Amino acid sequence: MADSNDSKDQHNRPTSSDHYASASRWRHQESSRFHRHAKEGRDATASSSGDTAALASFLNSSRVEGNGQDGAGHIPIQIDGPSDSPGHDIACGPLLNYRRTVDNRWHGSVLIVVEGGGPEIQHQPTMHLRKAGEAPTARTDEAEGAGDDTTVVTTGTVLQGERLYSDKRNTFWVFNIEVPIKATETEYEYDFPDMRISSNDKPRTNSFFVPAATESMRLMFHSCNGFSVGTDEDAYSGAPLWNDVMRKHKRAPFHVMLGGGDQIYNDGIRVNGPLRPWTDIGNPKKRREFPFSEKLRAECDDYYLQNYIRWYNTAPFCYANGQIPQVNIWDDHDIIDGFGSYVDRFMKCDVFRGIGGTAHKYYMLFQHHIAPPKSTYTSDFKGPGEDPYQLEGVFVAQPKIGDQYILGAKPGPYVEESSFNIYARLGARMAMIGIDARTERTRHQVNYPETYDLIFERARQELGAAAASGQPIQHLILLLGIPIAYPRLTWLENILRSPLIGPIKFLNRRFGLGGGFFNHFDGSVDLLDDLDDHYTAKTHKVERRQIIEQLQALAAEFSVRVTILGGDVHLAALGRFYANPDMKKPVEEDNTYMANIISSAIVNKPPPQAVANLLARRNKIHHLNDKTDETLLDLFNRDPGEDGKTAAFNHCTMPSRNFAMLTENSPNNAPLAEIASEATTAQPTSFIGRDGHKELHKGEIGAGTEHRSASDAHGKANDGSLDIRINVEIDQHDAEGKTQAYGLSVPQLRAAAVAAAATTQA
């Protein structure tokens, strides 16, 4: 049973001197074989291959980063000379976020995490912001009406930091940015002249780009930004694709990067972290009843904090997160593997409630630059209100929730906070919706119906206001953590849920038989939490159909083309929803046509080739409803590089690390001479009546390496379409992270903007 108030003793409470101390090391495990080695005291950084089939090994893996530069996961702080002033040393950051656009002004924020802190301010940091190329000066003049915390300098602005959270370990400072959107693309730069940066490798001055008032933003999309446990990181050259991101950013700056979940992997908390003793409990009932004491909470809090600082300081990722504004949603590994998809009675245990709240705290701080709740769940404190023990020696600001957020209708079932969904305009003719598909998740739902109502109501308000202003949104980007147009694995679900599994489960509980086949949390078949995470799982079938039908109605009502981003699955693919061929509707007028860009992982290892080929075999034409079909596009006309990554028949799933780019072909661009490959490619006389195993519109002709979108002409046409490019790693041993580009284009939607044309909403 959970500890009562009487349990607040020296065994559960850390002493004041080690209130946030944690002896945990940052080494992680992946497979059952690795788990056994760790339990026997062997090196937890050993590579593991598991003893199950390729599909099971891949889906069953815990996905976390590997070790840092010192072999224990830490990035050493490198500062010139000793610090003689508290509060002047940046432990992590700067981290740059994009928030929203209002009245032709760009709003964002910069976060720095400073060493030391507590209730009293040690030092008030300042940030200098200016147009690139303007030299800062020391003289300041009070800006008329600027307020107490903003001063205009001769070449820019000095911003005072706003304190979000502070304890004796660190202080989180946020600097809110507001700059005008001008007639031409503008580069701004910022620095912290009175602060010390955590690494000599980091630039002291960072810059970012704001698009011209008449242009949409250039987007970069990524997911699964970390290594699985036991992965030989040297064999994958670390995280080199971020080098390719920065090369492309230098040639044509990204205005925003969208994080589709698993921006960090925290699964190691259960291996050599503070949850290791809990994980080692063999009896699921005893594990379920294990208390989440204040001492354990403090240790877990320290683990999440230090893991964030380590990973967000790791090059080359740290270069991007200070120069390309981020917009993020989270997924399970930002908390722990499979969070939300285990059985309900286990998800409600004290430990899962506790780590859900603790992970949410640092998700708010690091990924959204928002002050966290005053305290998080422990089994020691029974409330009501905030836990006073957690507030000893701590400052927590009142959260300021920007109007870009659409808060969930009610707290989640396991993370007892509202979901943070996002609407943001992305320049002149694009916008995005980001759905928080983790906070409200259970094994049987992704989000509450009431939350979908709030999201689509807000979308209608924003799209309607944009249309009324004379600047309608042409492309709406939906950011999801998991693909929604993806091959079914229903046959595997049926096997794992069949009565035949019962005797094996019994033998596992009694004798440990098939240890790698069952998870270490609730004793269920371990693959099921991964399969239940997918929108294509049987348990989410109705919810999935309702989402797509509401998107189709939105597209028809506002003549907006919807394009979906999804990650999680560690391979690249391109799914599409489209009108049933019997309807004979051209894609340019088809509100049901939606491309799902599946881009994953930017860092983590890909699945075995056998898994990708198996998924390709399952690439059937499915019927969402009587009006809509779906399947994957044959995007990969050839493998990247010389090494074969797929079978000869597989042109739709690519098991290699990757990230995606999306750029509008602006109507303001000069006419683009046709690329030779386009001019010489035989065009069909009509696409009417084709199914999804063929090209459905002009933008899919020649999709792959020879498509215009995969060339230097990416985003330079002027027909209003959306160029999509998936950049796939050529050689995992190449530390430069060079990639092969695969492209296609998505046309504008020119359907009649009347609600009657919409697919009936569920």
Side-chain angles (χ1 to χ4, degrees), residues 665-688:
N665 288 299
S666 169
N668 302 315
N669 289 344
L672 180 68
E674 287 202 338
I675 305 296
S677 61
E678 284 188 285
T680 57
T681 299
Q683 302 286 332
T685 57
S686 174
F687 296 94
I688 299 297

Side-chain angles (χ1 to χ4, degrees), residues 195-309:
M195 304 296 290
R196 297 173 183 266
I197 304 296
S198 62
S199 169
N200 291 331
D201 294 331
K202 285 188 179 181
R204 293 200 59 83
T205 299
N206 286 277
S207 66
F208 62 95
F209 290 80
V210 174
T214 58
E215 300 299 339
S216 299
M217 294 185 181
R218 288 186 289 272
L219 313 182
M220 176 263 183
F221 168 64
H222 69 93
S223 68
C224 299
N225 184 34
F227 278 112
S228 294
V229 172
T231 302
D232 182 353
E233 296 179 30
D234 289 340
Y236 285 89
S237 307
L241 264 63
W242 285 108
N243 289 324
D244 196 52
V245 169
M246 296 309 294
R247 283 193 296 271
K248 289 176 168 55
H249 178 63
K250 185 175 182 180
R251 290 198 295 269
F254 297 115
H255 299 119
V256 69
M257 63 178 182
L258 304 179
D262 301 339
Q263 276 71 250
I264 184 171
Y265 281 58
N266 287 313
D267 303 338
I269 195 170
R270 68 176 174 86
V271 181
N272 276 25
L275 292 188
R276 176 60 184 270
W278 173 72
T279 307
D280 284 345
I281 296 173
N283 187 307
K285 184 176 184 294
K286 291 182 179 180
R287 194 182 301 118
R288 190 165 63 245
E289 295 175 350
F290 194 88
F292 193 73
S293 67
E294 169 56 28
K295 181 177 184 296
L296 182 55
R297 183 211 63 80
E299 291 173 346
C300 290
D301 186 286
D302 199 60
Y303 179 91
Y304 281 107
L305 171 65
Q306 300 303 332
N307 203 32
Y308 262 104
I309 289 175

Side-chain angles (χ1 to χ4, degrees), residues 77-94 112-118 120-127 160 166 168-173 175 191-199 204:
I77 301 297
Q78 303 174 37
I79 301 175
D80 294 330
S83 174
D84 53 4
S85 300
H88 284 75
D89 295 325
I90 297 177
C92 186
I112 57 172
V113 184
V114 175
E115 293 183 3
E120 304 300 324
I121 295 176
Q122 294 179 332
H123 170 66
Q124 177 82 48
T126 60
M127 186 182 89
Q160 301 288 339
S166 183
K168 70 177 184 180
R169 301 167 300 173
N170 297 105
T171 301
F172 290 76
W173 293 98
F175 300 82
D191 58 22
F192 302 88
D194 60 342
M195 304 296 290
R196 297 173 183 266
I197 304 296
S198 62
S199 169
R204 293 200 59 83

Side-chain angles (χ1 to χ4, degrees), residues 148-210:
D148 295 336
D149 60 353
T150 303
T151 303
V152 174
V153 296
T154 56
T155 58
T157 302
V158 174
L159 300 172
Q160 301 288 339
E162 178 182 337
R163 195 165 52 141
L164 298 179
Y165 176 86
S166 183
D167 58 40
K168 70 177 184 180
R169 301 167 300 173
N170 297 105
T171 301
F172 290 76
W173 293 98
V174 67
F175 300 82
N176 294 310
I177 302 173
E178 179 183 343
V179 296
I181 300 174
K182 301 188 175 185
T184 58
E185 182 180 66
T186 307
E187 181 181 7
Y188 293 92
E189 61 185 25
Y190 65 93
D191 58 22
F192 302 88
D194 60 342
M195 304 296 290
R196 297 173 183 266
I197 304 296
S198 62
S199 169
N200 291 331
D201 294 331
K202 285 188 179 181
R204 293 200 59 83
T205 299
N206 286 277
S207 66
F208 62 95
F209 290 80
V210 174

Side-chain angles (χ1 to χ4, degrees), residues 318-333:
C318 63
Y319 306 140
N321 60 40
Q323 299 181 56
I324 308 174
Q326 304 172 71
V327 175
N328 296 321
I329 60 172
W330 68 344
D331 205 26
D332 58 337
H333 298 286

Side-chain angles (χ1 to χ4, degrees), residues 64 130 213 227 346 629:
V64 302
R130 57 193 172 271
F227 278 112
F346 184 71
D629 290 353

